[in-house]
Each structure stands twice: as structure tokens, then as C-alpha cells.
Amino acid sequence: MRILFYDTKSYDEYSFTRELSGYPGVEIKFLKADLTRNTAELSHGYDAVCAFVNSDIGTQTVRILHDNGIRLILMRCAGFNNIDLEEAQRLGIRILRVPGYSPEAVAEHAMGLALIVNRKMHKSYLKVRENDFSLGSLMGFNFYQKTAGIVGTGKIGAAMARICYGFGMKVLAYDVYENPDLKDIVTYVTLDELLAQSDLISLHCPLMDSTYHIINRETIQKMKDGVILVNTSRGALVKTDDLIEGIRARKFFGVGLDVYEEEAPNVFEDRSDEILEHSVTARLLSFPNVMITSHQGFFTREALSAIAKTTLDNVKVYETGAESANEVKAN
């Protein structure tokens, strides 16, 4: 099988090439350009394409891929809200993703963001570099014996719950489906109860119609004053304008974001020489209690290896024609 690999970074090529020896018959062409309707034409002569969560796989892109003979889209990520699933299914294109790679990688990054905004480490780092060793504006609070609220308790949310429990926190959770593996450490409550009681709220749910802008003006008002909010899941879980309004109203002690609504043109790109006019990113970065990272929650050696292996395993499943739990279909 010939695969055209879009939006290649050096670490992608390294991790996939390292695994390829175990998959004879699979050939990968690595391409720096991302998958959009303008670059989909490059897929002519290939059997499958491999894309990422920020790729533009809308209706026109899917149709061009189909016309070029593509019958398989490999998503090297868990997310798939950037794909026109109905059109892909109508045209007979299968979509296989990587639903879990290293839950601990993302959960550890989420806790890292929480710790940074709590203990103001991003500010302390800059102060000390300027030989300013004063402690003004650096006070945080103990997580020990505080309450953590985990929204979404799949693999990543469960890993975050265990980390919070290890910190000595009381752990509340909200999910449509309760995770039985967490029964000894988590108390499931309604979303309103979680919002009202949590000192730290961490988002770990997929982006669906029911979770789109789950954090908005109304839900923010239900939170404790001085709460810490962390999002390492999907940017559109949070309505950014309402978040900024809440930050300005001093509702949050700190906000840690690895994802945000405007991230698509920024993800993994060096835009240091650009002026980001009318930018949500720039507005968020103007607040001293906000920490933003560049969609790097997954970025560990272990996670990259797991992503490559699962993606290539998906190829084997596709070639046999078998069903897969990793397949994404339109509802």
C-alpha cells in the first residue's frame, strides 16, 4: 500500500520510518504540505493518505481524494471533527484513527499546565532570568486537599483523575458514561455540581454537538471564584470570548490551554516573525495568569511510537477488510 503522509515534521518521519520495517508492503511518501482541498490533488497514484487533527478534510477535500482513488484516510490522532464524515462514508472512504496512544502523556501535560499557572512558574522563570529573585505576584495554593473536577473520564481523563488523586485531591467527575475503573477514587456528579465545587477543572471530553462550547458564560458563572481551568482536549470545548470575559472579571486564578479555538494556523508552526492581528491567541497571551502551549500534550517519545504503530496496524486491518474499533463513521 502506498500512503501519502501530509504535514510531515521531522519527528513524524523518524517515528514512522522506525516502525516501517515491521510492515512489509507499506510504502510512505512524506510531504511537508498539509492536507487541504488545494493539496488533495497530490494524492493521485496513492492508496491512502495520512493526516492530522488540524488538516482540512471537508467536503471538497474528500471528493478530490475519492476522485484520485483514495479509499482510506488514516488519522494519526484521536480527533476527527475536521472531516466530513457523511461525505466520506457516502463515497466509500474508510477513516481509521488512533483513539489512544499515551493517555498519561496528555494527562501529565494537563497537570503540568495546572501547576505552572498555580505556582506562576512561567512568570518566575522570566523574573529569575532578569536576576529578580523577589516573590511578589508568585503566590499559589496547595492542590493537596482541594477538589479536582474531571470533565470526561475516558483514558486521558482517567489518567488525570489518578494524578489528581495522587496529589491528595478530592476528585469529582462528569461524564455521560461512568468509568468503573475509577470507582475507588472518583465521585461522579452533575456538571453543575462539578463546576460549583472544583478548585481545578480539567477538560478531557471529545468535541461533539453536546460538548461544543461546554465552557461558556453560563457555565463559567457557575464555577468557584479563583478556579483553575485546563484544556488539553479540543479548543472548541471553550467559547473563547466568554473565557476572556471571565478572565477579565477575575473569575480564574489561572488558565492553562494546550488547545484553543484559533489554533489551526499555529499548530506546530513558527510564526515568531509575524504580527498576529485580531488574534485570539494574542488576546489570551496578554493575561499574566494564562499559559498556552502549542498542542504538545501528546508529544512524548512513547506517544509518537504508539501513534505510528497504531496507524500502521490500521493499514493492516484495512487490507484484510475487517471491522475495527478504530474506525470512524457518520452517525
Side-chain angles (χ1 to χ4, degrees):
M1 173 176 286
R2 301 189 70 222
I3 302 170
L4 185 59
F5 194 110
Y6 282 91
D7 195 21
T8 306
K9 300 296 187 290
S10 59
Y11 45 82
D12 293 319
E13 185 167 358
Y14 174 77
S15 59
F16 273 80
T17 301
R18 189 173 56 178
E19 298 290 341
L20 263 182
S21 60
Y23 299 85
V26 177
E27 176 186 339
I28 299 179
K29 170 70 174 179
F30 293 100
L31 194 68
K32 289 188 176 181
D34 199 359
L35 176 56
T36 67
R37 64 181 180 178
N38 296 321
T39 61
E41 187 60 47
L42 300 172
S43 65
H44 183 75
Y46 291 87
D47 305 300
V49 296
C50 184
F52 197 63
V53 69
N54 55 311
S55 302
D56 176 10
I57 317 177
T59 305
Q60 293 303 315
T61 302
V62 170
R63 289 175 180 173
I64 294 169
L65 292 175
H66 174 265
D67 291 344
N68 282 355
I70 298 297
R71 297 295 180 268
L72 173 63
I73 298 175
L74 297 162
M75 299 301 294
R76 57 185 189 273
C77 55
F80 51 86
N81 55 283
N82 55 327
I83 308 171
D84 187 334
L85 297 178
E86 292 185 358
E87 187 68 7
Q89 189 165 309
R90 186 184 72 82
L91 294 173
I93 298 176
R94 292 182 68 182
I95 300 164
L96 295 172
R97 64 177 181 135
V98 183
Y101 26 93
S102 176
E104 292 76 20
V106 182
E108 289 170 11
H109 191 73
M111 179 52 83
L113 285 171
L115 289 168
I116 286 170
V117 297
N118 179 15
R119 302 306 295 271
K120 315 293 180 63
M121 286 185 270
H122 57 309
K123 297 178 67 175
S124 179
Y125 172 75
L126 295 175
K127 285 165 63 80
V128 171
R129 282 179 61 87
E130 298 298 322
N131 294 329
D132 180 357
F133 303 99
S134 64
L135 299 181
S137 77
L138 299 182
M139 185 179 293
F141 63 88
N142 288 7
F143 279 165
Y144 178 66
Q145 294 189 335
K146 297 300 191 301
T147 299
I150 311 299
V151 181
T153 53
K155 292 182 179 179
I156 297 173
M160 182 62 170
R162 294 186 184 100
I163 290 172
C164 292
Y165 183 76
F167 268 68
M169 303 184 79
K170 175 183 178 182
V171 185
L172 303 180
Y174 168 75
D175 203 322
V176 176
Y177 303 101
E178 296 186 6
N179 187 336
D181 295 335
L182 298 177
K183 63 181 181 180
D184 293 334
I185 65 170
V186 161
T187 301
Y188 279 92
V189 295
T190 66
L191 180 60
D192 284 354
E193 288 174 313
L194 183 148
L195 296 172
Q197 298 177 40
S198 298
D199 302 288
L200 163 63
I201 297 173
S202 192
L203 306 180
H204 299 285
C205 48
L207 180 61
M208 303 180 292
D209 289 344
S210 59
T211 60
Y212 178 75
H213 285 173
I214 192 172
I215 301 301
N216 52 55
R217 180 182 290 110
E218 180 181 349
T219 52
I220 289 171
Q221 288 174 348
K222 294 176 181 178
M223 296 177 187
K224 275 186 175 183
D225 290 340
V227 66
I228 289 176
L229 175 69
V230 172
N231 186 12
T232 55
S233 189
R234 293 288 176 267
L237 296 176
V238 179
K239 187 173 182 181
T240 309
D241 287 342
D242 291 358
L243 175 66
I244 290 172
E245 180 183 285
I247 295 170
R248 286 178 171 154
R250 293 170 173 77
K251 184 70 173 181
F252 298 96
F253 190 85
V255 176
L257 303 174
D258 191 44
V259 292
Y260 48 96
E261 288 190 290
E262 196 192 62
E263 71 172 339
N266 299 339
V267 173
F268 313 143
E269 301 300 329
D270 181 357
R271 303 186 67 191
S272 56
D273 290 333
E274 300 179 36
I275 297 174
L276 306 181
E277 296 182 354
H278 311 296
S279 169
V280 168
T281 314
R283 290 166 68 195
L284 287 169
L285 288 171
S286 70
F287 299 109
N289 61 338
V290 175
M291 178 71 181
I292 297 179
T293 51
S294 185
H295 207 120
Q296 70 184 76
F298 77 101
F299 198 50
T300 65
R301 290 189 297 269
E302 294 83 357
L304 288 175
S305 177
I307 289 169
K309 189 174 188 309
T310 302
T311 301
L312 293 169
D313 284 342
N314 284 341
V315 173
K316 291 174 64 176
V317 170
Y318 172 81
E319 290 180 323
T320 66
E323 294 292 318
S324 171
N326 296 344
E327 186 162 2
V328 180
K329 297 181 180 180
N331 294 329

